[in-house]
Amino acid sequence: FIIPSSTGSTQLFILYDYDSNHIFAEPMKNKTAASILDAYKIVIHKLKRASCHPHLQHLDNECVLKDYMQEQDISFQLVPPGTHRQNAAKRAIRTFKSHFIAALCSLDKNFPLHLWDRLTSQAVLTLNLLRGSRINPKLSAWAHINGPFYYNSTPIAPPGIRVVAYKPPSQR
């Protein structure tokens, strides 16, 4: 998933966990082996913190991750190119793309688009709050990985909304 920015093309690393039905997205500076590996390590750390150690990973020929997966005792299978039926991550990528593009369309017209990567965490939050967990259908995918979300203590505003803040003259 590539989004143009003022410094060139920036990409998102997207990983789909089948059991929790959670879609992870991590911004990458570029598509070098080091960036892909760093993004993968961040997402795997989030999964392990939630006690969801992955045992089998389906890859579309990302050879960069194979050595790290063997170190972490994660089995992997390569999905043949062009076979989208066997790769549930392809559907998750399409779902996240649609959700993220809809969020970008609702931005204020003066929002600096080169800051798009700061919106990914809220896009991941709002998308996974709407998705149910496969293991426990009473939980959202977000709650399955991160615990319950407290709406009263953390209100969610549309991303990139223009805010007018009042500062008293004594604090200006």
Side-chain angles (χ1 to χ4, degrees):
F1 184 31
I2 302 170
I3 299 176
S5 67
S6 59
T7 59
S9 294
T10 309
Q11 300 187 355
L12 283 173
F13 178 84
I14 298 183
L15 186 132
Y16 172 65
D17 180 47
Y18 184 81
D19 290 339
S20 66
N21 202 22
H22 194 285
I23 298 174
F24 295 90
E26 192 64 38
M28 299 185 305
K29 293 179 184 175
N30 49 34
K31 200 173 179 180
T32 61
S35 293
I36 292 172
L37 187 58
D38 289 343
Y40 185 74
K41 285 180 180 180
I42 290 169
V43 173
I44 290 299
H45 176 71
K46 290 177 184 178
L47 274 170
K48 287 183 177 180
R49 191 179 60 209
S51 299
C52 297
H53 181 76
H55 297 289
L56 178 64
Q57 183 81 45
H58 293 276
L59 300 173
D60 10 326
N61 302 324
E62 295 292 342
C63 300
V64 177
L65 304 174
K66 292 178 184 177
D67 294 332
Y68 179 73
M69 290 177 144
Q70 288 173 345
E71 291 174 13
Q72 298 296 315
D73 194 31
I74 301 172
S75 301
F76 61 89
Q77 286 182 342
L78 296 178
V79 177
T83 310
H84 300 294
R85 293 183 310 253
Q86 295 177 4
N87 196 351
K90 292 288 185 192
R91 178 66 187 144
I93 290 169
R94 197 167 66 184
T95 300
F96 184 81
K97 256 187 183 178
S98 299
H99 183 74
F100 195 68
I101 289 171
L104 290 177
C105 290
S106 69
L107 293 174
D108 183 69
K109 65 180 181 178
N110 296 321
F111 182 82
L113 198 55
H114 68 278
L115 299 176
W116 69 267
D117 58 331
R118 299 191 181 197
L119 303 175
T120 56
S121 59
Q122 183 170 351
V124 169
L125 168 72
T126 54
L127 177 64
N128 288 309
L129 283 173
L130 297 171
R131 298 170 63 85
S133 170
R134 289 189 192 279
I135 293 177
N136 186 354
K138 293 183 180 182
L139 291 177
S140 67
W142 177 266
H144 186 102
I145 296 294
N146 301 300
F149 183 79
Y150 299 106
Y151 292 91
N152 290 337
S153 61
T154 313
I156 302 174
I161 193 168
R162 187 176 205 150
V163 176
V164 178
Y166 174 74
K167 282 189 172 183
S170 61
Q171 295 180 356
R172 291 184 198 165

